[in-house]
Amino acid sequence: NTGQYDTAFNYFEKSVALFDSLKNRPNKRKALLLLGHYHLEKNNLKRAKEQFIEALDLGKEMGIVSDQHMVSAFSGLAKVYNTGKSYNEAITSGLDAIKIASEIGAKQKLVAAHEIVSEAFAKIGAYEQAFYHQQQFAIYQDSLTNETNTRNLNEILTKYETDKKEKENLILKKEANLAELTIKKQQSVT
């Protein structure tokens, strides 16, 4: 699996150059984010930081100030800074991610950003802020879990109602066939 991960990395490296030559900035930005996360996973913090910053700069050049990719870039930077023990920078980037994620209603991204910011505040001893962001993390996590459970329950109910209607229709068809056979039998007797 690691080999596939490294192969994907090589393709993303090539895709950045290709998208750059084609002046396809949106896809270049996506590839940069993926590379940033790859480098973060490999603990290559310097390269991850460069990728995330380049993705942010590219988004700003394109006039994009709030989308999921900006949230991803700020969250990625916050993780880089947190891992590198630059907690104040982690907090700043994490709060930027929270602000944008709140604006665009990206709950999943809010969960991750609040968790990162909570960890960074705890590392600098700002426990009240750490606690606040931990609470926000828990609230959004619970909200996402409830939404998933509600969606699953609705799917089960819909399937149940559909099956019930299909069975009712089958019974009605059988009753209609039986009634038709009864009528035909009565007509043939008379």
Side-chain angles (χ1 to χ4, degrees):
N1 222 351
T2 303
Q4 290 178 335
Y5 201 54
D6 291 336
T7 301
F9 162 75
N10 290 329
Y11 283 118
F12 283 120
E13 282 278 318
K14 292 175 184 174
S15 68
V16 168
L18 176 64
F19 291 138
D20 195 37
S21 70
L22 295 172
K23 304 214 183 311
N24 186 334
R25 296 186 305 176
N27 283 331
K28 178 182 177 185
R29 186 168 68 125
K30 290 176 191 175
L32 286 167
L33 288 171
L34 291 168
L35 285 171
H37 289 292
Y38 171 84
H39 287 297
L40 182 59
E41 190 73 26
K42 295 289 187 175
N43 209 32
N44 183 349
L45 302 182
K46 181 177 185 270
R47 192 71 181 121
K49 178 181 171 183
E50 292 168 357
Q51 302 287 314
F52 290 130
I53 289 173
E54 189 175 350
L56 282 170
D57 290 343
L58 197 53
K60 290 173 186 173
E61 284 174 24
M62 293 167 37
I64 299 170
V65 291
S66 60
D67 71 353
Q68 295 233 6
H69 300 304
M70 295 299 272
V71 176
S72 184
F74 279 120
S75 291
L77 267 179
K79 287 179 187 176
V80 166
Y81 290 133
N82 226 6
T83 305
K85 301 183 185 336
S86 297
Y87 302 117
N88 289 323
E89 289 89 347
I91 291 166
T92 299
S93 293
L95 291 175
D96 287 339
I98 289 169
K99 179 180 180 289
I100 296 169
S102 294
E103 289 171 1
I104 64 174
K107 286 183 185 177
Q108 187 67 44
K109 303 237 184 232
L110 274 168
V111 169
H114 277 293
E115 184 177 35
I116 295 164
V117 171
S118 175
E119 290 171 9
F121 273 125
K123 293 289 186 179
I124 64 169
Y127 299 113
E128 190 173 320
Q129 291 94 333
F131 181 68
Y132 169 78
H133 287 283
Q134 185 61 38
Q135 284 180 312
Q136 294 303 304
F137 163 78
I139 288 167
Y140 284 110
Q141 184 68 38
D142 288 348
S143 175
L144 286 172
T145 301
N146 289 339
E147 286 175 14
T148 300
N149 290 341
T150 300
R151 188 171 41 256
N152 290 341
L153 180 61
N154 286 336
E155 288 173 10
I156 291 168
L157 287 173
T158 300
K159 185 174 179 355
Y160 169 77
E161 291 296 328
T162 302
D163 288 349
K164 183 177 169 184
K165 290 289 182 195
E166 286 175 1
K167 288 177 183 174
E168 288 173 0
N169 287 340
L170 189 60
I171 290 170
L172 289 173
K173 284 180 184 176
K174 286 182 179 181
E175 287 175 355
N177 286 342
L178 184 60
E180 186 179 328
L181 287 173
T182 305
I183 292 170
K184 286 182 181 179
K185 187 176 181 183
Q186 286 175 350
Q187 289 175 346
S188 68
V189 171
T190 53

